[in-house]
Amino acid sequence: METIKLKILDEVGHTLMTCDADTAVSLVYTNEYHPGDRVALEIDHPGQYCVIQFEDTMPESLVYVVKREINFHIPFGEQAITYSPKSFVGSRHVIRARLALPEEIAARRNLAFNCYDEHGDTGFYPHASANVETRGEAVFAARNAIDGIFENSAHGEYPYQSWGINRDPNAALTLDFGREVLLDELRITERADFPHDNYWVKATVEFSDGSRLDIPLVKSAKPQSVTFEPKRVRSLVLKDLIQAEGTSPFPALTQIEAFGTEVK
């Protein structure tokens, strides 16, 4: 029987708390977090679908895990301002994880959503990365575009984080699913802090199968959807972002959603 296990580790890798392995597990950690602390999830075999909730003020995410152990690093300082000020504070934390149910795995869903994504090789998917993030600041990181937070009437710290392109015409965001999936719809939500912001009138998506899709966009605070015949892909790149003519040089992405199913 496949099982999973949770641990809390400190900066040097010492185990602060752990639980017995099972198909669904939880920890109640009754200490304050310190810089360098992390939540670790262990699985028996790589290639498992898990539902994780590493912070009880945040939602669950269904993720695909490709390493025996994955880590979520507790955010501090500048990294923490893209999360609710209620998150990761105090001395009572409930952390949960379980193996995903077959019906959850099979359902059509937003395959881009992962509010626990981080920079680097995380070992769990979906994962967002980009060739540019404005000034390297956390509030403009690629991960913000898949965190499920749609507030876009301002910019900056939570809940107004976004993917910022630093006015780079060659900016591109990569969305990696970690395995082949079957996509049939994309939804783009642009940041809409007008008049500070500009907006894109067209974006191009390049899929890992080599195909391309041009997406027309308008000035809107709402998600803009494009549907297509199902594509079997491992990743996609959002690129060639054409902004509207105007006085503002600051278009940005609040959310990208990728709807579809697992490959049967």
Side-chain angles (χ1 to χ4, degrees):
M1 179 182 68
E2 191 73 30
T3 62
I4 58 178
K5 186 177 183 179
L6 283 169
K7 296 187 295 185
I8 306 294
L9 304 174
D10 68 9
E11 186 175 19
V12 296
H14 293 150
T15 299
L16 303 176
M17 191 175 185
T18 189
C19 67
D20 294 333
D22 207 336
T23 57
V25 293
S26 66
L27 284 177
V28 179
Y29 184 60
T30 54
N31 285 293
E32 292 186 358
Y33 288 128
H34 297 93
D37 288 353
R38 62 190 190 268
V39 178
L41 173 69
E42 292 182 354
I43 61 175
D44 293 333
H45 303 95
Q48 301 299 321
Y49 295 90
C50 298
V51 176
I52 58 174
Q53 188 180 23
F54 292 155
E55 160 58 35
D56 53 29
T57 65
M58 294 169 60
E60 296 180 334
S61 285
L62 198 165
V63 298
Y64 183 66
V65 182
V66 300
K67 292 184 177 181
R68 286 286 310 279
E69 179 180 302
I70 62 170
N71 292 275
F72 175 80
H73 299 83
I74 305 301
F76 279 88
E78 193 255 347
Q79 294 296 318
I81 65 175
T82 62
Y83 300 91
S84 168
K86 301 174 185 176
S87 299
F88 308 107
V89 297
S91 58
R92 193 165 295 264
H93 309 278
V94 182
I95 303 134
R96 304 181 182 96
R98 59 182 174 83
L99 295 171
L101 300 173
E103 56 268 30
E104 293 175 310
I105 299 168
R108 182 180 183 272
R109 65 186 191 279
N110 174 20
L111 295 164
F113 173 62
N114 178 11
C115 59
Y116 301 99
D117 192 27
E118 295 184 306
H119 275 129
D121 181 11
T122 64
F124 63 104
Y125 297 89
H127 173 60
S129 59
N131 62 348
V132 60
E133 297 171 337
T134 302
R135 296 184 297 274
E137 295 177 11
V139 293
F140 300 120
R143 68 159 300 277
N144 299 328
I146 62 170
D147 66 2
I149 297 174
F150 288 82
E151 278 64 32
N152 61 353
S153 61
H155 67 282
E157 64 186 63
Y158 176 90
Y160 300 112
Q161 62 270 16
S162 59
W163 173 49
I165 68 170
N166 204 32
R167 294 188 267 183
D168 188 335
N170 297 312
L173 180 143
T174 299
L175 178 57
D176 193 341
F177 303 103
R179 78 285 187 192
E180 285 197 328
V181 297
L182 205 60
L183 296 186
D184 58 48
E185 181 186 2
L186 294 175
R187 296 179 193 171
I188 304 294
T189 303
E190 299 190 59
R191 202 177 65 200
D193 184 11
F194 307 124
H196 172 277
D197 285 348
N198 201 336
Y199 64 97
W200 294 307
V201 296
K202 190 179 81 167
T204 297
V205 172
E206 186 173 272
F207 296 96
S208 59
D209 67 355
S211 63
R212 294 167 64 95
L213 178 69
D214 289 335
I215 303 176
L217 297 166
V218 298
K219 183 179 182 180
S220 176
K222 297 180 179 180
Q224 300 181 60
S225 171
V226 58
T227 59
F228 43 87
E229 289 297 313
K231 292 179 178 290
R232 186 168 173 163
V233 300
R234 289 185 61 91
S235 63
L236 61 84
V237 180
L238 181 71
K239 58 190 295 188
D240 299 337
L241 303 164
I242 309 300
Q243 69 181 54
E245 294 183 3
T247 57
S248 170
F250 302 119
L253 179 68
T254 292
Q255 288 293 291
I256 180 169
E257 299 170 273
F259 284 87
T261 60
E262 300 293 334
V263 174
K264 296 181 180 179

